[in-house]
Amino acid sequence: EILMTQSPATLSVSPGERATLSCRAAQSVNINLAWYQQKPGQAPRLLIYGASTRATGIPARFSGSGSEKEFTLTISSLQSEDSASYYCQQYNNRPYNFGQGTKLEIK
Amino acid sequence: QVQLVQSGAEVKTPGASVRVSCKASGYTFTDNYIHWVRQAPGQGLEWMGWINPKSGFTNFAQKFQGRLTLTRDTTISTVYMDLSRLRSDDSSVYYCARVYGTGSFFSFWGQGTLVTVSS
């Protein structure tokens, strides 16, 4: 089982600034890494898959990078609607574990 | 458009079983695996297992082996999740989710079903 660790747990950033969220895998997951956004009371929404490919309809201000064990989700020019929890998920090996999440607050 | 519509909230007593349904529409039901993910109140996401709607084959996370059953009815494009021997820590929102292509990541999600286990 691959442990996924996200940091920081909470992040507070001003509108228009950049947010950088990290996800670390205990062992290599190649580029089989997805990012999701979840707002309270809603189902998660796929943002990124294959570590860096934006899902359909996702704004260009969301970008993903990394491979093997270290991954980053960058949200440039933050907007108020980006306030949410963000989860990474590895799908290289079963069980397809998620990280514990990063809560992004917009100041 | 692709939609996954789940059944409504359930309240169960410890030791009971629960069934949650997930009705798919807007695509060919047998083309994509359906997974189940749960989320305890205020907590993160936990992958549970998948079903291949075409073959009926399933695979589960180790912790759910023996308690989780996934089935499907292709005539009505519906997947069922049955979880038995419920405990209080099974209280969660349960989501069905459809994969994108062949990768086990999830492009479409149901709205979630709250299952509360309480005596």
Side-chain angles (χ1 to χ4, degrees):
Chain A
E1 174 163 348
I2 300 176
L3 179 65
M4 306 298 293
T5 304
Q6 291 186 239
S7 61
T10 305
L11 185 61
S12 184
V13 184
S14 298
E17 294 191 341
R18 171 179 297 191
T20 302
L21 289 66
S22 295
C23 175
R24 174 174 294 176
Q27 65 190 71
S28 174
V29 298
N30 299 300
I31 59 167
N32 296 313
L33 191 287
W35 288 94
Y36 301 87
Q37 176 193 67
Q38 187 181 34
K39 297 181 178 180
Q42 296 184 16
R45 172 194 183 196
L46 177 66
L47 298 175
I48 301 285
Y49 62 93
S52 61
T53 302
R54 272 190 305 277
T56 302
I58 302 303
R61 67 179 184 276
F62 291 90
S63 63
S65 63
S67 64
E68 308 287 342
K69 296 182 181 181
E70 300 283 345
F71 301 90
T72 301
L73 175 69
T74 301
I75 312 171
S76 62
S77 189
L78 275 166
Q79 300 184 10
S80 57
E81 63 260 33
D82 299 331
S83 178
S85 293
Y86 292 82
Y87 295 92
C88 62
Q89 179 224 351
Q90 68 82 18
Y91 52 95
N92 196 64
N93 296 94
R94 290 189 301 268
Y96 303 122
N97 288 341
F98 293 84
Q100 81 280 18
T102 291
K103 185 174 183 179
L104 176 61
E105 299 173 348
I106 311 300
K107 290 179 182 175
Chain B
Q1 72 283 19
V2 174
Q3 279 194 306
L4 300 174
V5 178
Q6 299 182 220
S7 50
E10 302 268 6
V11 179
K12 297 292 182 180
T13 54
S17 298
V18 68
R19 167 171 279 200
V20 178
S21 66
C22 172
K23 183 173 177 58
S25 61
Y27 72 100
T28 301
F29 177 65
T30 51
D31 277 357
N32 301 92
Y33 285 29
I34 296 284
H35 292 233
W36 289 83
V37 175
R38 74 178 185 178
Q39 186 170 37
Q43 303 300 309
L45 301 165
E46 180 177 30
W47 179 78
M48 300 178 68
W50 57 251
I51 182 168
N52 178 343
K54 186 171 186 178
S55 66
F57 290 165
T58 57
N59 186 273
F60 309 125
Q62 182 75 22
K63 71 176 290 184
F64 297 107
Q65 295 278 358
R67 289 208 300 143
L68 178 62
T69 304
L70 300 179
T71 56
R72 93 289 191 215
D73 184 337
T74 58
T75 65
I76 55 172
S77 301
T78 298
V79 170
Y80 301 96
M81 183 212 69
D82 292 282
L83 189 62
S84 62
R85 303 194 299 278
L86 289 168
R87 307 183 292 258
S88 58
D89 62 358
D90 289 318
S91 295
S92 296
V93 175
Y94 289 77
Y95 294 101
C96 61
R98 200 206 83 171
V99 302
Y100 178 85
T102 57
S104 291
F105 57 92
F106 315 122
S107 51
F108 299 97
W109 295 70
Q111 82 276 20
T113 297
L114 176 63
V115 175
T116 302
V117 183
S118 174
S119 55

